Amino acid sequence: MSDLGELVAQLQDEAEGAKLAAIATLTQQVNDAYGADAAFLAEQLRAHGGVMVLVGMLDDPVADVQQCAMSVLGNLLTNIFEPNAAQSLSLFDECG
């Protein structure tokens, strides 16, 4: 698992290629994560402001970025992915 703080920073890159690569990497990590790994990944994303960044990506002009952000958020906001999803949901709600 790559450094999630660095990955969250890359999600905010102005260069579309860098942003696409970062969201593709994060989506794959989320898709591959289960149990304790999923909980750790979600915790780190919350700690690095990832929920807010992902919500912002829903307005990205590139459809692939929007779809990947929605996929990652969908996992972060469900107890099936990780037991502390309520914390992610609270952050999501704060984004408006």
Coordinates of all heavy atoms in Angstrom, one line a residue:
M1 N 0.9 -1.2 0.0 CA 0.0 0.0 0.0 C 0.9 1.2 0.0 O 1.8 1.4 0.8 CB -0.9 0.0 1.3 CG -2.1 0.8 1.2 SD -3.2 0.6 2.7 CE -3.8 -1.0 2.5
S2 N 0.7 2.1 -1.0 CA 1.5 3.3 -1.1 C 1.1 4.3 0.1 O 0.1 4.1 0.7 CB 1.4 4.0 -2.4 OG 0.0 4.4 -2.6
D3 N 2.0 5.3 0.3 CA 1.8 6.2 1.3 C 0.5 7.0 1.0 O 0.4 7.7 0.0 CB 2.9 7.2 1.4 CG 2.7 8.3 2.5 OD1 2.2 8.0 3.6 OD2 3.0 9.5 2.1
L4 N -0.5 6.9 1.8 CA -1.8 7.5 1.5 C -1.8 9.0 1.6 O -2.6 9.7 0.9 CB -2.9 6.9 2.4 CG -3.2 5.4 2.1 CD1 -4.1 4.9 3.1 CD2 -3.8 5.3 0.7
G5 N -1.0 9.6 2.5 CA -0.9 11.0 2.5 C -0.4 11.6 1.2 O -0.9 12.6 0.7
E6 N 0.6 10.9 0.6 CA 1.2 11.3 -0.7 C 0.1 11.1 -1.8 O 0.0 11.9 -2.7 CB 2.4 10.5 -0.9 CG 3.2 10.9 -2.2 CD 4.5 10.1 -2.3 OE1 5.3 10.1 -1.3 OE2 4.7 9.5 -3.3
L7 N -0.6 10.0 -1.7 CA -1.6 9.7 -2.7 C -2.7 10.8 -2.7 O -3.2 11.2 -3.7 CB -2.1 8.3 -2.5 CG -3.0 7.7 -3.6 CD1 -2.2 7.7 -4.9 CD2 -3.4 6.3 -3.2
V8 N -3.2 11.2 -1.5 CA -4.2 12.2 -1.3 C -3.7 13.5 -1.9 O -4.4 14.2 -2.6 CB -4.6 12.4 0.1 CG1 -5.5 13.6 0.3 CG2 -5.4 11.1 0.6
A9 N -2.4 13.8 -1.7 CA -1.8 15.0 -2.3 C -1.9 14.9 -3.9 O -2.2 15.9 -4.6 CB -0.4 15.3 -1.8
Q10 N -1.6 13.8 -4.4 CA -1.6 13.6 -5.8 C -3.0 13.7 -6.4 O -3.1 14.1 -7.6 CB -1.0 12.2 -6.2 CG 0.5 12.1 -5.9 CD 1.1 10.7 -6.1 OE1 0.4 9.8 -6.3 NE2 2.4 10.6 -5.9
L11 N -4.0 13.4 -5.6 CA -5.4 13.5 -6.1 C -5.7 14.9 -6.4 O -6.7 15.2 -7.1 CB -6.3 12.9 -5.1 CG -6.3 11.4 -4.8 CD1 -7.2 11.1 -3.6 CD2 -6.7 10.7 -6.0
Q12 N -5.0 15.9 -5.8 CA -5.3 17.3 -6.0 C -4.4 17.9 -7.0 O -4.4 19.1 -7.2 CB -5.1 18.0 -4.6 CG -6.0 17.4 -3.6 CD -5.7 17.9 -2.2 OE1 -6.1 19.1 -1.9 NE2 -5.0 17.1 -1.4
D13 N -3.6 17.1 -7.7 CA -2.6 17.6 -8.7 C -3.4 18.3 -9.9 O -4.4 17.8 -10.3 CB -1.8 16.5 -9.2 CG -0.5 16.9 -9.9 OD1 -0.6 17.7 -10.8 OD2 0.6 16.5 -9.5
E14 N -2.9 19.4 -10.3 CA -3.5 20.1 -11.5 C -3.3 19.3 -12.8 O -4.1 19.4 -13.7 CB -2.9 21.5 -11.6 CG -3.2 22.4 -10.5 CD -4.7 22.7 -10.4 OE1 -5.3 22.9 -11.4 OE2 -5.2 22.8 -9.2
A15 N -2.3 18.5 -12.9 CA -2.0 17.7 -14.1 C -3.0 16.6 -14.1 O -3.0 15.7 -13.2 CB -0.6 17.2 -14.1
E16 N -3.8 16.5 -15.2 CA -4.9 15.5 -15.3 C -4.3 14.1 -15.2 O -4.9 13.2 -14.6 CB -5.7 15.7 -16.5 CG -7.1 15.2 -16.5 CD -7.9 15.8 -15.3 OE1 -8.0 17.0 -15.2 OE2 -8.5 15.0 -14.6
G17 N -3.2 13.9 -15.9 CA -2.6 12.5 -15.9 C -2.2 12.1 -14.5 O -2.4 10.9 -14.2
A18 N -1.6 13.0 -13.7 CA -1.2 12.6 -12.4 C -2.4 12.3 -11.5 O -2.4 11.4 -10.7 CB -0.4 13.7 -11.7
K19 N -3.5 13.1 -11.7 CA -4.7 12.9 -10.9 C -5.4 11.6 -11.3 O -5.8 10.8 -10.4 CB -5.7 14.1 -11.2 CG -6.9 14.0 -10.3 CD -8.0 15.1 -10.6 CE -7.4 16.4 -10.8 NZ -8.5 17.4 -11.1
L20 N -5.4 11.3 -12.6 CA -6.0 10.0 -13.0 C -5.2 8.8 -12.5 O -5.8 7.8 -12.1 CB -6.1 10.0 -14.6 CG -7.2 10.7 -15.2 CD1 -7.0 10.9 -16.7 CD2 -8.5 10.0 -14.9
A21 N -3.9 8.9 -12.5 CA -3.1 7.8 -12.0 C -3.3 7.6 -10.5 O -3.4 6.5 -10.0 CB -1.6 8.1 -12.3
A22 N -3.4 8.7 -9.8 CA -3.6 8.6 -8.3 C -5.0 8.0 -8.0 O -5.1 7.2 -7.1 CB -3.5 10.0 -7.7
I23 N -6.0 8.5 -8.7 CA -7.4 7.9 -8.4 C -7.5 6.5 -8.8 O -8.1 5.7 -8.1 CB -8.5 8.8 -8.9 CG1 -9.9 8.4 -8.3 CG2 -8.5 8.8 -10.4 CD1 -10.0 8.7 -6.9
A24 N -6.8 6.1 -9.9 CA -6.8 4.7 -10.3 C -6.1 3.8 -9.3 O -6.5 2.8 -8.9 CB -6.1 4.6 -11.7
T25 N -5.0 4.3 -8.7 CA -4.2 3.6 -7.7 C -5.1 3.5 -6.4 O -5.2 2.4 -5.9 CB -2.9 4.3 -7.4 OG1 -2.1 4.4 -8.5 CG2 -2.2 3.6 -6.2
L26 N -5.7 4.5 -6.0 CA -6.5 4.5 -4.8 C -7.7 3.5 -5.0 O -8.0 2.8 -4.1 CB -7.0 5.9 -4.4 CG -7.9 6.0 -3.2 CD1 -7.2 5.4 -2.0 CD2 -8.3 7.4 -3.0
T27 N -8.3 3.6 -6.2 CA -9.5 2.7 -6.4 C -9.1 1.3 -6.4 O -9.8 0.4 -5.8 CB -10.1 3.1 -7.8 OG1 -10.5 4.4 -7.8 CG2 -11.3 2.2 -8.1
Q28 N -7.9 1.0 -6.9 CA -7.4 -0.4 -6.9 C -7.1 -0.8 -5.5 O -7.4 -2.0 -5.0 CB -6.2 -0.6 -7.8 CG -5.7 -2.0 -7.9 CD -6.8 -2.8 -8.6 OE1 -7.3 -2.5 -9.7 NE2 -7.2 -4.0 -8.0
Q29 N -6.5 0.0 -4.7 CA -6.2 -0.3 -3.3 C -7.5 -0.6 -2.5 O -7.5 -1.5 -1.7 CB -5.4 0.8 -2.6 CG -4.0 0.9 -3.1 CD -3.2 2.0 -2.4 OE1 -3.7 2.7 -1.5 NE2 -1.9 2.2 -2.7
V30 N -8.5 0.3 -2.7 CA -9.8 0.1 -2.0 C -10.4 -1.2 -2.5 O -10.9 -2.0 -1.6 CB -10.7 1.3 -2.2 CG1 -12.1 1.0 -1.8 CG2 -10.1 2.5 -1.5
N31 N -10.4 -1.5 -3.8 CA -11.0 -2.7 -4.3 C -10.3 -4.0 -3.7 O -10.9 -5.0 -3.6 CB -10.9 -2.8 -5.8 CG -11.9 -1.8 -6.4 OD1 -12.9 -1.4 -5.8 ND2 -11.7 -1.5 -7.7
D32 N -9.0 -3.9 -3.4 CA -8.2 -5.0 -2.9 C -8.2 -5.2 -1.4 O -7.7 -6.1 -0.9 CB -6.8 -4.9 -3.4 CG -6.6 -5.1 -4.9 OD1 -7.6 -5.6 -5.6 OD2 -5.6 -4.7 -5.4
A33 N -8.7 -4.2 -0.7 CA -8.7 -4.1 0.8 C -9.8 -4.8 1.4 O -11.0 -4.7 1.0 CB -8.6 -2.7 1.3
Y34 N -9.5 -5.6 2.5 CA -10.6 -6.3 3.2 C -10.2 -6.3 4.7 O -9.0 -6.2 5.0 CB -10.7 -7.8 2.8 CG -11.1 -7.9 1.4 CD1 -10.2 -8.1 0.3 CD2 -12.5 -7.9 1.0 CE1 -10.6 -8.2 -1.0 CE2 -12.9 -8.0 -0.3 CZ -11.9 -8.2 -1.3 OH -12.3 -8.3 -2.6
G35 N -11.1 -6.4 5.6 CA -10.9 -6.5 7.0 C -10.0 -5.4 7.6 O -10.3 -4.2 7.4
A36 N -9.0 -5.8 8.3 CA -8.1 -4.8 8.9 C -7.4 -3.9 7.9 O -7.2 -2.7 8.2 CB -7.1 -5.5 9.8
D37 N -7.1 -4.4 6.7 CA -6.5 -3.5 5.7 C -7.4 -2.4 5.3 O -7.0 -1.3 5.1 CB -6.0 -4.3 4.5 CG -4.8 -5.2 4.8 OD1 -4.1 -4.9 5.8 OD2 -4.6 -6.2 4.1
A38 N -8.7 -2.8 5.1 CA -9.7 -1.8 4.7 C -9.9 -0.7 5.8 O -10.0 0.5 5.5 CB -11.0 -2.5 4.4
A39 N -10.0 -1.2 7.0 CA -10.1 -0.3 8.2 C -8.9 0.7 8.2 O -9.1 1.9 8.5 CB -10.3 -1.0 9.5
F40 N -7.7 0.2 8.1 CA -6.5 1.0 8.1 C -6.5 2.0 7.0 O -6.3 3.2 7.2 CB -5.3 0.2 8.1 CG -4.0 1.0 8.0 CD1 -3.5 1.6 9.2 CD2 -3.3 1.1 6.8 CE1 -2.4 2.3 9.1 CE2 -2.1 1.9 6.8 CZ -1.7 2.5 7.9
L41 N -6.9 1.6 5.8 CA -6.9 2.4 4.6 C -7.9 3.6 4.8 O -7.6 4.7 4.6 CB -7.3 1.6 3.4 CG -7.1 2.3 2.0 CD1 -6.7 1.3 1.0 CD2 -8.3 3.0 1.6
A42 N -9.1 3.2 5.3 CA -10.1 4.2 5.5 C -9.7 5.2 6.6 O -9.9 6.5 6.5 CB -11.4 3.6 5.9
E43 N -9.1 4.7 7.7 CA -8.6 5.6 8.8 C -7.6 6.6 8.2 O -7.6 7.8 8.6 CB -8.0 4.7 9.9 CG -7.4 5.5 11.0 CD -6.7 4.6 12.0 OE1 -7.1 3.4 12.2 OE2 -5.7 5.0 12.6
Q44 N -6.6 6.1 7.4 CA -5.6 7.0 6.9 C -6.2 8.0 5.9 O -5.7 9.1 5.9 CB -4.5 6.1 6.2 CG -3.7 5.3 7.2 CD -3.0 6.3 8.2 OE1 -2.2 7.1 7.8 NE2 -3.2 6.1 9.4
L45 N -7.1 7.6 5.1 CA -7.8 8.5 4.2 C -8.5 9.6 4.9 O -8.4 10.8 4.6 CB -8.8 7.8 3.3 CG -8.1 7.0 2.1 CD1 -9.2 6.2 1.4 CD2 -7.4 8.0 1.1
R46 N -9.2 9.3 6.0 CA -9.8 10.3 6.8 C -8.8 11.2 7.5 O -8.9 12.4 7.5 CB -10.6 9.6 7.9 CG -11.9 9.0 7.5 CD -12.8 8.6 8.6 NE -12.3 7.6 9.5 CZ -12.4 6.3 9.3 NH1 -13.2 5.8 8.3 NH2 -11.9 5.5 10.2
A47 N -7.7 10.7 8.0 CA -6.7 11.5 8.6 C -6.0 12.4 7.7 O -5.5 13.5 8.1 CB -5.6 10.5 9.3
H48 N -5.9 12.1 6.4 CA -5.2 12.9 5.4 C -6.2 13.8 4.6 O -5.8 14.4 3.6 CB -4.4 12.1 4.5 CG -3.2 11.4 5.2 ND1 -2.1 12.2 5.6 CD2 -3.0 10.2 5.5 CE1 -1.2 11.3 6.2 NE2 -1.7 10.1 6.2
G49 N -7.4 13.9 5.0 CA -8.4 14.7 4.3 C -8.9 14.1 3.0 O -9.5 14.8 2.2
G50 N -8.8 12.8 2.9 CA -9.2 12.2 1.7 C -10.6 12.2 1.4 O -11.0 12.3 0.2
V51 N -11.5 12.2 2.4 CA -12.9 12.2 2.1 C -13.3 13.5 1.5 O -14.0 13.6 0.4 CB -13.7 12.0 3.4 CG1 -15.2 12.2 3.2 CG2 -13.5 10.6 4.0
M52 N -12.8 14.6 2.0 CA -13.1 16.0 1.4 C -12.5 16.1 0.0 O -13.2 16.6 -0.9 CB -12.4 17.1 2.3 CG -12.8 18.4 1.8 SD -12.2 19.8 2.9 CE -10.4 19.5 2.9
V53 N -11.3 15.5 -0.2 CA -10.8 15.6 -1.6 C -11.6 14.8 -2.6 O -11.9 15.2 -3.7 CB -9.3 15.1 -1.6 CG1 -8.8 14.9 -3.0 CG2 -8.4 16.0 -0.8
L54 N -12.0 13.6 -2.1 CA -12.9 12.7 -3.0 C -14.2 13.4 -3.3 O -14.7 13.3 -4.4 CB -13.1 11.4 -2.3 CG -11.8 10.5 -2.3 CD1 -12.0 9.3 -1.3 CD2 -11.5 9.9 -3.7
V55 N -14.8 14.0 -2.3 CA -16.1 14.7 -2.6 C -15.9 15.8 -3.6 O -16.7 16.0 -4.5 CB -16.7 15.3 -1.3 CG1 -17.8 16.3 -1.6 CG2 -17.1 14.2 -0.4
G56 N -14.8 16.5 -3.5 CA -14.4 17.6 -4.5 C -14.2 17.0 -5.9 O -14.6 17.7 -6.9
M57 N -13.8 15.8 -6.0 CA -13.5 15.1 -7.3 C -14.8 14.8 -8.0 O -14.8 14.5 -9.2 CB -12.6 13.9 -7.1 CG -11.2 14.3 -6.6 SD -10.2 12.8 -6.4 CE -9.5 12.7 -8.0
L58 N -15.9 14.8 -7.3 CA -17.2 14.5 -7.9 C -17.6 15.5 -8.9 O -18.4 15.3 -9.8 CB -18.3 14.3 -6.8 CG -18.1 13.2 -5.8 CD1 -19.2 13.2 -4.8 CD2 -18.1 11.8 -6.6
D59 N -17.0 16.7 -8.8 CA -17.2 17.8 -9.8 C -16.2 17.9 -10.8 O -16.2 18.8 -11.6 CB -17.3 19.1 -9.0 CG -18.5 19.3 -8.1 OD1 -19.6 18.7 -8.5 OD2 -18.5 19.9 -7.1
D60 N -15.2 16.9 -10.9 CA -14.2 17.0 -11.9 C -14.8 16.9 -13.3 O -15.8 16.1 -13.5 CB -13.2 15.8 -11.6 CG -11.9 16.0 -12.4 OD1 -11.8 15.6 -13.6 OD2 -11.0 16.5 -11.8
P61 N -14.2 17.6 -14.2 CA -14.8 17.5 -15.6 C -14.5 16.1 -16.3 O -15.2 15.8 -17.3 CB -14.1 18.6 -16.4 CG -12.8 18.9 -15.6 CD -13.2 18.5 -14.1
V62 N -13.6 15.3 -15.8 CA -13.3 14.0 -16.4 C -14.2 12.9 -15.7 O -14.1 12.7 -14.5 CB -11.8 13.7 -16.2 CG1 -11.5 12.3 -16.8 CG2 -11.0 14.7 -16.9
A63 N -15.0 12.3 -16.5 CA -16.0 11.3 -16.0 C -15.3 10.1 -15.3 O -15.8 9.7 -14.3 CB -16.8 10.7 -17.2
D64 N -14.1 9.7 -15.8 CA -13.4 8.6 -15.1 C -13.0 9.0 -13.7 O -13.1 8.2 -12.8 CB -12.2 8.2 -15.9 CG -12.5 7.4 -17.1 OD1 -13.6 6.9 -17.3 OD2 -11.6 7.3 -18.0
V65 N -12.6 10.2 -13.5 CA -12.3 10.7 -12.1 C -13.5 10.7 -11.3 O -13.5 10.2 -10.1 CB -11.6 12.1 -12.2 CG1 -11.5 12.7 -10.8 CG2 -10.3 12.1 -12.9
Q66 N -14.6 11.2 -11.8 CA -15.9 11.2 -11.0 C -16.3 9.8 -10.6 O -16.6 9.6 -9.5 CB -17.0 11.8 -11.8 CG -16.8 13.3 -12.1 CD -17.9 13.7 -13.1 OE1 -18.9 13.0 -13.4 NE2 -17.7 14.9 -13.6
Q67 N -16.2 8.9 -11.5 CA -16.6 7.5 -11.3 C -15.8 6.8 -10.2 O -16.3 6.1 -9.4 CB -16.7 6.7 -12.6 CG -17.8 7.2 -13.5 CD -17.7 6.5 -14.9 OE1 -16.8 5.8 -15.2 NE2 -18.7 6.8 -15.7
C68 N -14.5 7.0 -10.4 CA -13.5 6.4 -9.4 C -13.8 7.0 -8.0 O -13.8 6.3 -7.0 CB -12.1 6.6 -9.8 SG -11.6 5.5 -11.2
A69 N -13.9 8.3 -7.9 CA -14.2 9.0 -6.6 C -15.4 8.5 -6.0 O -15.5 8.2 -4.8 CB -14.2 10.5 -6.8
M70 N -16.5 8.3 -6.8 CA -17.8 7.8 -6.3 C -17.6 6.3 -5.8 O -18.1 6.0 -4.8 CB -18.8 7.8 -7.4 CG -20.2 7.3 -7.0 SD -21.0 8.5 -5.9 CE -21.5 9.7 -7.1
S71 N -16.8 5.5 -6.5 CA -16.6 4.2 -6.1 C -15.9 4.1 -4.8 O -16.3 3.3 -3.9 CB -15.7 3.4 -7.2 OG -15.4 2.2 -6.8
V72 N -14.8 4.9 -4.6 CA -14.1 4.9 -3.3 C -15.0 5.4 -2.2 O -15.0 4.8 -1.1 CB -12.8 5.7 -3.5 CG1 -12.1 5.9 -2.1 CG2 -11.8 5.1 -4.5
L73 N -15.7 6.5 -2.4 CA -16.6 7.0 -1.4 C -17.6 6.0 -1.0 O -18.0 5.8 0.1 CB -17.2 8.3 -1.9 CG -16.4 9.5 -1.8 CD1 -17.1 10.7 -2.6 CD2 -16.1 9.9 -0.4
G74 N -18.2 5.3 -2.0 CA -19.2 4.3 -1.7 C -18.7 3.2 -0.8 O -19.4 2.7 0.1
N75 N -17.4 2.9 -0.9 CA -16.8 1.9 0.0 C -16.6 2.5 1.4 O -16.9 1.9 2.4 CB -15.5 1.3 -0.5 CG -15.8 0.2 -1.6 OD1 -16.4 -0.8 -1.3 ND2 -15.3 0.5 -2.8
L76 N -16.0 3.7 1.4 CA -15.7 4.3 2.7 C -17.0 4.6 3.6 O -16.9 4.7 4.8 CB -15.0 5.7 2.5 CG -13.6 5.6 1.9 CD1 -13.1 7.1 1.6 CD2 -12.7 4.9 2.8
L77 N -18.1 4.7 2.9 CA -19.3 5.1 3.6 C -20.2 3.9 4.0 O -21.3 4.1 4.5 CB -20.1 6.1 2.8 CG -19.4 7.4 2.4 CD1 -20.3 8.2 1.4 CD2 -19.0 8.2 3.6
T78 N -19.7 2.7 3.8 CA -20.5 1.5 4.2 C -19.7 0.7 5.2 O -18.5 0.5 5.2 CB -20.7 0.7 3.0 OG1 -19.5 0.2 2.4 CG2 -21.5 1.4 1.9
N79 N -20.5 0.2 6.2 CA -20.0 -0.7 7.2 C -19.5 -2.0 6.7 O -18.7 -2.7 7.3 CB -21.0 -1.0 8.3 CG -21.3 0.2 9.1 OD1 -20.4 1.1 9.4 ND2 -22.5 0.4 9.6
I80 N -19.9 -2.4 5.5 CA -19.4 -3.6 4.9 C -17.9 -3.5 4.6 O -17.2 -4.5 4.8 CB -20.2 -4.0 3.6 CG1 -21.6 -4.3 4.0 CG2 -19.6 -5.1 2.8 CD1 -22.6 -4.4 2.8
F81 N -17.5 -2.3 4.2 CA -16.1 -2.1 3.9 C -15.2 -2.0 5.1 O -14.2 -2.6 5.2 CB -15.9 -0.9 3.0 CG -14.5 -0.6 2.6 CD1 -13.8 -1.4 1.6 CD2 -13.8 0.5 3.1 CE1 -12.5 -1.1 1.3 CE2 -12.5 0.7 2.8 CZ -11.8 -0.1 1.8
E82 N -15.7 -1.2 6.1 CA -15.0 -1.0 7.3 C -15.9 -0.6 8.4 O -16.9 0.1 8.2 CB -13.8 -0.1 7.1 CG -14.1 1.3 6.9 CD -13.9 2.2 8.2 OE1 -13.3 1.7 9.1 OE2 -14.3 3.3 8.2
P83 N -15.7 -1.0 9.6 CA -16.6 -0.9 10.7 C -16.8 0.6 11.2 O -17.8 0.9 11.9 CB -16.1 -1.7 11.9 CG -14.7 -1.9 11.5 CD -14.5 -1.9 10.0
N84 N -15.9 1.5 10.9 CA -16.0 2.9 11.3 C -16.5 3.8 10.2 O -16.1 5.0 10.2 CB -14.6 3.3 11.8 CG -14.2 2.6 13.1 OD1 -15.0 2.4 14.0 ND2 -13.0 2.1 13.1
A85 N -17.3 3.3 9.3 CA -17.8 4.1 8.2 C -18.6 5.3 8.7 O -18.6 6.3 8.0 CB -18.7 3.2 7.3
A86 N -19.1 5.3 9.8 CA -19.9 6.4 10.4 C -19.0 7.7 10.5 O -19.4 8.8 10.3 CB -20.5 6.1 11.7
Q87 N -17.7 7.4 10.7 CA -16.7 8.6 10.8 C -16.6 9.2 9.4 O -16.5 10.4 9.3 CB -15.4 8.1 11.4 CG -15.5 7.7 12.8 CD -14.1 7.1 13.3 OE1 -13.1 7.3 12.7 NE2 -14.2 6.4 14.4
S88 N -16.5 8.3 8.4 CA -16.4 8.8 7.0 C -17.6 9.5 6.6 O -17.6 10.6 5.9 CB -16.1 7.7 6.1 OG -14.8 7.1 6.3
L89 N -18.8 9.0 7.0 CA -20.1 9.6 6.7 C -20.2 11.0 7.3 O -20.7 11.9 6.7 CB -21.2 8.7 7.1 CG -22.6 9.1 6.8 CD1 -22.8 9.3 5.3 CD2 -23.6 8.1 7.3
S90 N -19.7 11.1 8.5 CA -19.7 12.4 9.2 C -18.9 13.4 8.4 O -19.3 14.6 8.2 CB -19.2 12.3 10.6 OG -19.2 13.5 11.3
L91 N -17.7 13.0 8.0 CA -16.9 13.9 7.2 C -17.5 14.2 5.8 O -17.5 15.4 5.4 CB -15.5 13.3 6.9 CG -14.6 13.1 8.2 CD1 -13.4 12.3 7.9 CD2 -14.2 14.5 8.7
F92 N -18.2 13.3 5.2 CA -18.9 13.4 4.0 C -20.0 14.5 4.2 O -20.2 15.4 3.3 CB -19.5 12.1 3.5 CG -20.2 12.1 2.2 CD1 -19.6 12.1 1.0 CD2 -21.6 12.2 2.3 CE1 -20.3 12.2 -0.2 CE2 -22.3 12.2 1.1 CZ -21.7 12.2 -0.2
D93 N -20.8 14.3 5.2 CA -21.9 15.3 5.5 C -21.3 16.7 5.7 O -22.0 17.7 5.3 CB -22.6 14.9 6.8 CG -23.5 13.7 6.6 OD1 -23.8 13.4 5.4 OD2 -23.9 13.0 7.6
E94 N -20.2 16.9 6.3 CA -19.6 18.2 6.5 C -19.2 18.9 5.2 O -19.1 20.1 5.2 CB -18.3 18.1 7.4 CG -18.6 17.7 8.8 CD -17.4 17.5 9.7 OE1 -16.3 17.9 9.2 OE2 -17.5 16.9 10.8
C95 N -19.0 18.1 4.2 CA -18.7 18.6 2.9 C -19.9 19.3 2.2 O -19.7 20.0 1.2 CB -18.1 17.6 2.0 SG -16.5 17.0 2.5
G96 N -21.1 19.0 2.7 CA -22.3 19.6 2.1 C -22.8 18.8 1.1 O -23.3 18.6 0.2

